[in-house]
Amino acid sequence: MAKSTKTPTINDVARAAGVSKKTVSRVINRSALIKKDTREKIEAVIADLGYVPNPQARALALRRNFLLGLLHDNPNAQTVLNFQEGVLDAIKATEFALVVRPVDRHSPHMLEDIRHFLEQQRLYGVLILPPISENDDLAALCREMGCGYVRMGSAMLDDEEHVVASNDREVVENAVDYLVGSGHRRIGIIKGPDGFRSAFERAEGFMAAMKKHGLSIPPEAIGQGTYRFDSGLTAAGRLLDRPGRPTAIFCSNDEMAAGALHAARQRGIEVPGDLSIIGFDDSPIAAHIWPPMTTVGWPIREMGKAAALKLVAPADEAAQDSRFPARLVKRLSVAPPSSGRS
Amino acid sequence: MAKSTKTPTINDVARAAGVSKKTVSRVINRSALIKKDTREKIEAVIADLGYVPNPQARALALRRNFLLGLLHDNPNAQTVLNFQEGVLDAIKATEFALVVRPVDRHSPHMLEDIRHFLEQQRLYGVLILPPISENDDLAALCREMGCGYVRMGSAMLDDEEHVVASNDREVVENAVDYLVGSGHRRIGIIKGPDGFRSAFERAEGFMAAMKKHGLSIPPEAIGQGTYRFDSGLTAAGRLLDRPGRPTAIFCSNDEMAAGALHAARQRGIEVPGDLSIIGFDDSPIAAHIWPPMTTVGWPIREMGKAAALKLVAPADEAAQDSRFPARLVKRLSVAPPSSGRS
DNA sequence: TTGTAGGCGTTATCAC
DNA sequence: GTGATAACGCCTACAA
C-alpha cells in the first residue's frame, strides 16, 4: 500500500517486487518467458498496489492504441445502442474502449471529417453502421489510413474479415412466404430510399419471392419511402387509395410500417382484418403500437460483438462469424385476408 | 510534403520549420510567448505536412487525457443518442473524444466496475445519465478518483458545476394546468418506479398542481409502473376499470403512456374523446402512435452540449447553464372531457 | 529467465 | 522569444 497518493506506475510495482520494469512488463503482457514464482510474486504486488497499466503510455510505446470507434449516421437509436452493447460485450474484459462518432452522411465534408477524426484519434479500428457502412470510399479511407474496420450491412459488402451482415434478402422472402401462406395474393411493398443497400436487398427479396409464387407486382402496389414515419404514411396512403388495393403490405422498416398503420386507420381499414402489415427491424415501436407488429428482427447485439472481435481478437472463434440470420417475429399485424376481398 | 510514409511528428515539423520542438509545441498550445512570424511559419509547415498532434503522447506528458466518458443505463435509446450528439457538438472541434460505457445498475459490482473503468481509462471526466446519475455513491467515487463529472437529472442533484437538470416538477405542473384548463377534474397519474428521482419529481409536480387547483387525488387514481410499456398497460388498466374512472391520465413517461393508450383501446375507450393522455420524454414513439401524443419534451441535446462544456471548457458561457426547461409538446391525445362524463 | 539502454511523441523546467 | 534537457509510463532491442 505504498505511494497511495498517486496512481502506481510500473516502476512502483517493479520496486516493490524487487525486479526490473521489464519483468513487470512481461507479466502484464503475458509473456511466456517468466518463471512461475516471479509471475505470481509480481501479480500479488500488482493486486496489492492496485496497479493498472496506463493505456496512453502503452499506446505511445506500441504505436497503436486501444480505442475502437463507432461511426454511425443513424435512423434508429435502438440499433445503435444495441450494437454498442454488443461491442462492449466483446471488449469489456480488455483494455479497449469504445469511442462514438456520429457523422452526417449528407455533409460534403463527411470523408474529410472522418479522415481528421481518424488522424487525430489514431484509432485501432472502427465499426461502421449502415447506411454509411455502404460507402466504399469510407472503407477505402480506412484502408489507406491503416485503420482496421468492420462494416455492418445487409449483404456482404466486403471481405469476410471486414463485414458482419444479415440476410435481408432471404428473410424478406420468408416474410412474403408467410403472407402468401396466410392467403394473401395482392401484396404491396413500400421500399426504402434509393442508395441504401438495405432497401435494395429487401426489395430484391420481395420481388424474388413474389416471382417464386407466380404473383405479379403491379406498379401501383409499389411504394417508396425514406425510412421515416411520414413517408410510410404517405406511400401507404397511395397504395390504399387505389382500386384493388393490396391485402398486405411489406414495409422496408418499422417506422414506415407504423406510418402505414396510421394510413390504414385514417381510412377505416382494419389491421390485420382488412390489411396485414409486416415491418423490418423489430424496433421498440413495433412491439408498442397496436396491433403489435409482425416484423423482422436481427441479432444486432451479437453482430456488434462479432464485429468488435474481428478487430480486437481476430483469432477468436466468434470473430469468424460474418453472417447473422435475421428472422421473422410474428405478432398480430398479419392475418388471412378478409373473405370478401381476396 | 516530406516523410509521407509515416504520420509526421512534432520533430518533423520542428526540423522543417528550422525551430525547436518546444517552439512548435508552443504554437500547438497557443502560447502567447511566440513571435507572430514564427507562429505563422510554423503553422504553414503544420498545414503542409498535415501534422496532427498525437493525443496519446500529450496525455502522457500532461498526465491527463482527452477522453470523456458517457455512463448510462438507459431505458430510452433516443435520449442517450441525443445526449451523445450534444456532447459531440461541444467537443467536435477539440481533441476530445467520447467513450461510451453502458452500465448495469442492478449489478452488485456496478461501482467496482466503474471504478475499474475509470482507473483503466483515466478519463478526463464523465457524463452521467439518469437514472444512475442519481446515485450519490457514484458521484463520490468520481470525486475520490479525481475524475471530473457532470450529472444529468430531473433536479439539482449536486453543485451547479456538476449538474445539468431539467425542471420536471414545474413542467408537470404545467401539464396538469393544461388538463384542468381543458376541463378535466378527475385526473389520474401513473407514477414511475420508486427510487427514480425523475419519478419522484414528476409525481410531486402532479400532486402540487392538483392541490393548487383544489382537486383531490383518490388513491384509485394513482397508478405506478416501471417506465416500461407493459407496466403502463397494466397500471392504466386498473385505473380505467374502476368506477368513476379518470378523464385524463398523466403518465410519467412515454412508454407507459403508450401502454395506457393500449389499455384504453382494449376497453373501447376513445383517446382523446373519452380519455386524455399526457406522456413524458417526447420520444419518437410519442409522435408515431395514434393519436400523436401530447408529452413533455426536454432539450436533451443542449443538455449534452452544456454538460460536456462544463468539463472541457468551464469558462465557456454556455457551460454556465445548469437548468434546462422542459416544455409541453401539444399533440392530439388531449381534448376536453366528453360532455356525458365530466 | 531477467535486466539495461534507448525510444515512442509530447510537454515542463530553466537556462540563454 | 527560443531552445536544450529531462521527464511522462511503457515497450523493443539486445545483452547477460
Side-chain angles (χ1 to χ4, degrees):
Chain A
M1 271 303 156
K3 310 208 63 165
S4 65
T5 50
K6 306 192 59 174
T7 63
T9 74
I10 197 171
N11 288 307
D12 301 322
V13 176
R15 199 175 314 122
V19 298
S20 75
K21 291 166 24 160
K22 181 61 211 175
T23 306
V24 178
S25 172
R26 288 199 174 93
V27 171
I28 298 170
N29 293 288
R30 309 177 183 292
S31 161
L33 306 167
I34 282 269
K35 225 182 351 193
K36 192 146 170 285
D37 290 2
T38 318
R39 160 180 289 115
E40 283 166 359
K41 182 177 60 180
I42 293 176
E43 280 170 347
V45 173
I46 287 177
D48 180 38
L49 258 40
Y51 166 71
V52 183
N54 180 324
Q56 276 77 38
R58 281 172 58 91
L60 189 58
L62 288 168
R63 253 148 303 176
R64 68 189 184 77
N65 71 11
F66 299 93
L67 258 25
L68 256 36
L70 178 62
L71 263 28
H72 73 265
D73 172 16
N74 205 270
N76 185 334
Q78 193 64 51
T79 301
V80 179
L81 243 56
N82 283 349
F83 195 88
Q84 283 184 12
E85 299 257 8
V87 173
L88 265 293
D89 289 341
I91 66 177
K92 195 167 293 174
T94 74
E95 60 195 322
F96 282 91
L98 178 63
V99 172
V100 293
R101 182 73 180 192
V103 306
D104 175 6
R105 71 170 171 281
H106 295 118
S107 160
H109 320 109
M110 185 189 85
L111 281 180
E112 276 316 300
D113 288 350
I114 294 177
R115 175 191 291 275
H116 183 254
F117 174 64
L118 295 180
E119 272 173 350
Q120 179 174 294
Q121 299 299 334
R122 291 166 161 77
L123 301 180
Y124 185 84
V126 290
L127 306 161
I128 316 174
L129 258 40
I132 54 165
S133 62
E134 295 155 14
N135 186 327
D136 288 326
D137 293 338
L138 176 50
L141 175 64
C142 293
R143 279 193 297 268
E144 175 200 330
M145 302 196 56
C147 177
Y149 70 94
V150 176
R151 307 158 76 174
M152 177 191 188
S154 315
M156 291 302 294
L157 303 159
D158 206 320
D159 304 333
E160 288 265 338
E161 59 176 324
H162 293 302
V163 183
V164 290
S166 57
N167 58 341
D168 287 23
R169 194 183 291 226
E170 196 179 319
V171 71
V172 171
E173 287 195 41
N174 297 344
V176 173
D177 292 347
Y178 174 58
L179 288 173
V180 172
S182 301
H184 293 276
R185 294 295 174 268
R186 290 201 311 280
I187 306 175
I189 178 175
I190 299 179
K191 302 198 288 187
D194 291 336
F196 281 59
R197 182 62 177 263
S198 59
F200 176 78
E201 293 292 324
R202 293 165 199 182
E204 287 292 307
F206 180 84
M207 302 301 172
M210 292 293 278
K211 185 169 176 187
K212 181 178 75 184
H213 290 289
L215 298 173
S216 66
I217 315 171
E220 62 271 20
I222 303 179
Q224 184 166 30
T226 62
Y227 274 156
R228 305 298 307 267
F229 178 83
D230 302 358
S231 71
L233 183 72
T234 309
R238 273 200 278 272
L239 297 204
L240 296 174
D241 288 338
R242 291 244 172 68
R245 68 168 197 242
T247 63
I249 300 181
F250 166 72
C251 300
S252 299
N253 79 346
D254 285 344
E255 270 203 57
M256 296 199 299
L261 189 62
H262 279 212
R265 197 179 331 274
Q266 287 173 342
R267 288 163 177 75
I269 297 170
E270 291 282 331
V271 175
D274 300 327
L275 176 71
S276 291
I277 295 180
I278 294 185
F280 201 112
D281 276 345
D282 194 20
S283 61
I285 195 173
H288 294 165
I289 53 179
W290 192 264
M293 199 160 53
T294 295
T295 182
V296 173
W298 31 340
I300 297 169
R301 186 164 178 165
E302 285 71 23
M303 294 174 84
K305 181 171 179 181
L309 286 177
K310 275 177 197 281
L311 249 23
V312 308
D316 190 299
E317 199 175 323
Q320 306 316 311
D321 293 338
S322 295
R323 310 271 350 195
F324 290 78
R327 66 181 211 300
L328 196 60
V329 180
K330 295 178 186 173
R331 288 199 269 252
L332 303 181
S333 64
V334 173
S338 54
S339 51
R341 303 204 45 86
S342 75
Chain B
M1 275 301 164
K3 312 207 66 166
S4 65
T5 49
K6 306 191 61 174
T7 64
T9 76
I10 199 170
N11 288 308
D12 301 323
V13 176
R15 198 174 314 121
V19 297
S20 76
K21 292 168 22 159
K22 183 60 204 173
T23 305
V24 178
S25 174
R26 289 198 175 92
V27 171
I28 296 170
N29 294 288
R30 306 179 186 291
S31 161
L33 307 166
I34 280 267
K35 225 181 354 190
K36 192 148 172 281
D37 290 3
T38 318
R39 159 179 291 114
E40 283 167 359
K41 182 176 62 181
I42 293 175
E43 281 171 345
V45 173
I46 287 177
D48 180 39
L49 257 41
Y51 165 72
V52 182
N54 181 325
Q56 275 78 39
R58 301 195 63 191
L60 188 59
L62 289 169
R63 255 148 303 179
R64 69 189 183 76
N65 71 12
F66 299 92
L67 258 25
L68 256 36
L70 179 63
L71 262 29
H72 73 264
D73 173 16
N74 203 267
N76 184 333
Q78 194 64 51
T79 301
V80 180
L81 243 54
N82 283 350
F83 195 88
Q84 283 184 12
E85 298 257 6
V87 174
L88 264 292
D89 289 341
I91 66 177
K92 194 168 293 173
T94 74
E95 61 196 319
F96 282 91
L98 178 65
V99 173
V100 294
R101 183 72 179 194
V103 307
D104 176 6
R105 72 171 170 280
H106 296 119
S107 162
H109 319 109
M110 185 189 83
L111 281 180
E112 275 316 299
D113 288 349
I114 293 177
R115 176 191 291 276
H116 183 254
F117 174 64
L118 295 181
E119 271 172 348
Q120 180 173 294
Q121 299 299 335
R122 292 165 159 75
L123 301 181
Y124 185 84
V126 291
L127 305 161
I128 317 176
L129 258 37
I132 53 164
S133 62
E134 294 156 17
N135 186 325
D136 289 326
D137 293 339
L138 177 50
L141 175 64
C142 292
R143 278 193 298 268
E144 176 200 329
M145 303 197 57
C147 178
Y149 71 94
V150 175
R151 305 158 78 175
M152 179 191 187
S154 314
M156 291 303 295
L157 304 159
D158 205 322
D159 304 331
E160 288 266 337
E161 60 176 323
H162 292 302
V163 183
V164 290
S166 55
N167 58 340
D168 286 24
R169 194 183 292 226
E170 196 180 320
V171 72
V172 172
E173 288 196 40
N174 296 344
V176 174
D177 291 347
Y178 175 59
L179 289 173
V180 172
S182 301
H184 293 277
R185 294 295 175 269
R186 293 202 307 281
I187 307 174
I189 178 176
I190 299 178
K191 301 197 289 187
D194 290 337
F196 281 59
R197 181 64 177 262
S198 60
F200 176 76
E201 293 292 325
R202 293 167 199 181
E204 287 294 306
F206 180 84
M207 303 303 173
M210 292 293 278
K211 186 170 176 189
K212 180 178 74 185
H213 290 289
L215 299 173
S216 65
I217 315 172
E220 61 271 20
I222 302 178
Q224 186 166 29
T226 61
Y227 275 158
R228 305 296 309 267
F229 177 84
D230 301 357
S231 71
L233 183 72
T234 310
R238 272 199 279 271
L239 296 205
L240 296 175
D241 287 339
R242 292 244 172 69
R245 68 167 197 247
T247 62
I249 299 179
F250 166 73
C251 300
S252 297
N253 79 347
D254 285 342
E255 270 202 59
M256 296 198 299
L261 189 62
H262 280 210
R265 200 184 322 281
Q266 288 172 343
R267 288 162 177 77
I269 296 170
E270 291 282 333
V271 175
D274 299 327
L275 177 71
S276 291
I277 296 179
I278 294 185
F280 201 112
D281 277 347
D282 195 19
S283 61
I285 194 173
H288 293 164
I289 53 180
W290 191 261
M293 198 159 52
T294 294
T295 181
V296 174
W298 31 342
I300 298 168
R301 185 164 178 164
E302 286 70 24
M303 294 174 84
K305 181 172 180 181
L309 286 177
K310 275 176 197 283
L311 250 22
V312 308
D316 191 299
E317 198 177 323
Q320 306 317 312
D321 293 339
S322 294
R323 312 263 357 187
F324 290 78
R327 64 179 214 301
L328 196 60
V329 179
K330 296 178 186 174
R331 288 201 269 253
L332 305 181
S333 64
V334 173
S338 55
S339 49
R341 302 202 46 83
S342 75

